[in-house]
Amino acid sequence: MAGGWRDLLRADPTPWLLEPSNPAARYSTLRYLLNRPADDPEVLASQAAIPAYPPLAELLASQKPDGFWVKRDYYLPKHTGTFWVLCVLGDLGLTADHPQIEQSCEFIFTFQREHGPFCRRRRVSGRGLVWDTEPGPCTHARIARFLIQFGYGDDPRVRAAIDWLLAGQRDDGMWDCGRPNRPGCLRATHDVLRVAALDSEAAVHPAVARGAAAVSDLLMTEGMKRYHVGIPWTMLQWPPFDYSLVGTVDSLARLGDTLNHPKIAEATDYLLSRQLPGGSWPLDQTSSCPPFDPGHLGKANKWVTLETLKALKLLLDTVPGED
């Protein structure tokens, strides 16, 4: 190994990440760590094998005929409903070229209101199905994000969703979940930045620059807990259903932050300190009922290792002083 992010690893985990038994991890390793082009034969082969990966094959087989999981309320049950499943699948390399993904996305679009936001509908006695007034920005942002990942970034429906999201920023640069008289929600702001990091048009919006500045200044501070973060920032989790330090570092790096920012440098040092001897990272926490088993707590975890390395690579391959 030589150069950049690889020089700071205790060992090289890429042979482990490239094991054919997990084609989703192999695909992302080839594509985003080893910089293979999208049309590379090994990239294409690993991506094509993702739906047959046993945990995902079982999950896809449990999809209902109309494209949802468990029930028609796209959000519930928490962590196993359609919204949660698609959040995971979006990170694993599947796209709307797969007919089941396309069907699920079209199911999600049925919950979009005419002015852009995705809202749940509830059955009310005497009124039938009625729309919620407005969605939480965190849930809405995650829907926009997985739709971009699945290939809908240029769809007018997604553009309207992003426009609605960016228009909801607070004066302090953050977003909130219905708590206008309290500090902004770091989790919601994190989710907005994760959308912008994947969308070139949103990335240059002034609201995103303000949000990124607000979040980067909060990194690694005790004050983070005031901003509606459900778990300690030190936790390495998968699936990242809550605030994720790794996800935030990744987004800030994609949006232009570098190690010149002291909080980014501190977060990077922390993540590097969490390496296991084999160059991997452990799973600290998962949800009570994830869509599929992510692995054992405290043990080396391919999903956490991959996401951490993707974030670190963005920063460690950037020479400080160039931003």
Side-chain angles (χ1 to χ4, degrees):
M1 296 190 305
W5 61 279
R6 301 184 181 199
D7 286 343
L8 293 175
L9 301 184
R10 295 175 179 173
D12 183 5
T14 54
W16 175 58
L17 294 171
L18 287 169
E19 290 175 347
S21 59
N22 187 332
R26 178 177 171 82
Y27 165 76
S28 288
T29 301
L30 289 168
R31 188 79 178 91
Y32 303 114
L33 294 183
L34 302 183
N35 298 327
R36 296 281 191 90
D39 60 355
D40 178 276
E42 288 190 80
V43 171
L44 292 173
S46 59
Q47 188 174 29
I50 291 173
Y53 174 52
L56 294 189
E58 183 177 351
L59 186 59
L60 290 170
S62 69
Q63 185 190 50
K64 303 298 183 183
D66 289 343
F68 61 90
W69 276 266
V70 187
K71 59 193 301 184
R72 289 185 180 275
D73 181 319
Y74 73 81
Y75 186 82
L76 294 175
K78 192 170 183 180
H79 297 165
T80 58
T82 307
F83 165 82
W84 306 95
V85 170
L86 293 179
C87 284
V88 171
L89 296 183
D91 284 335
L92 299 187
L94 289 173
T95 71
D97 290 336
H98 190 290
Q100 286 182 261
I101 298 300
E102 181 183 21
Q103 186 182 29
S104 288
C105 290
E106 292 303 325
F107 170 77
I108 289 291
F109 278 125
T110 67
F111 291 89
Q112 186 176 31
R113 303 198 68 176
E114 64 283 353
H115 57 299
F118 292 91
C119 294
R120 295 169 68 197
R121 288 175 292 190
R122 303 175 188 273
R123 188 169 296 279
V124 177
S125 178
R127 297 174 59 194
L129 287 173
V130 298
W131 290 102
D132 279 357
T133 52
E134 295 291 353
C138 50
T139 302
H140 177 87
R142 294 185 191 198
I143 292 173
R145 183 172 185 268
F146 66 61
L147 288 171
I148 292 170
Q149 290 175 312
F150 291 141
Y152 288 88
D154 293 329
D155 190 298
R157 296 170 292 182
V158 174
R159 303 319 309 170
I162 293 173
D163 289 344
W164 179 88
L165 189 64
L166 295 177
Q169 189 179 45
R170 294 160 46 118
D171 290 341
D172 61 3
M174 301 185 76
W175 279 258
D176 70 66
C177 297
R179 307 167 353 131
N181 298 319
R182 299 178 64 185
C185 178
L186 183 57
R187 183 168 52 191
T189 307
H190 153 90
D191 286 327
V192 174
L193 296 182
R194 297 196 82 200
V195 173
L198 297 183
D199 184 80
S200 59
E201 186 176 331
V204 297
H205 193 284
V208 170
R210 291 192 296 269
V215 170
S216 59
D217 287 343
L218 282 171
L219 284 180
M220 316 304 287
T221 65
E222 281 297 312
M224 286 175 67
K225 66 181 65 172
R226 298 178 57 240
Y227 293 87
H228 196 46
V229 177
I231 65 169
W233 55 262
T234 53
M235 301 295 280
L236 301 177
Q237 56 169 305
W238 204 90
F241 286 159
D242 210 309
Y243 171 80
S244 162
L245 178 66
V246 172
T248 291
V249 169
D250 180 274
S251 297
L252 291 173
R254 293 177 189 276
L255 293 170
D257 264 317
T258 71
L259 295 174
N260 283 334
H261 192 299
K263 297 295 186 183
I264 300 294
E266 187 178 349
T268 300
D269 288 343
Y270 169 74
L271 291 175
L272 286 170
S273 77
R274 293 297 313 278
Q275 286 180 91
L276 298 174
S280 59
W281 275 259
L283 176 67
D284 292 337
Q285 185 178 71
T286 188
S287 68
S288 58
C289 46
F292 64 85
D293 183 6
H296 297 291
L297 296 180
K299 302 295 185 181
N301 187 276
K302 282 189 178 182
W303 309 116
V304 175
T305 298
L306 182 59
E307 294 306 308
T308 303
L309 284 177
K310 285 163 62 178
L312 291 175
K313 180 178 183 292
L314 291 167
L315 291 166
L316 298 176
D317 281 355
T318 302
V319 179
E322 289 186 349
D323 62 324

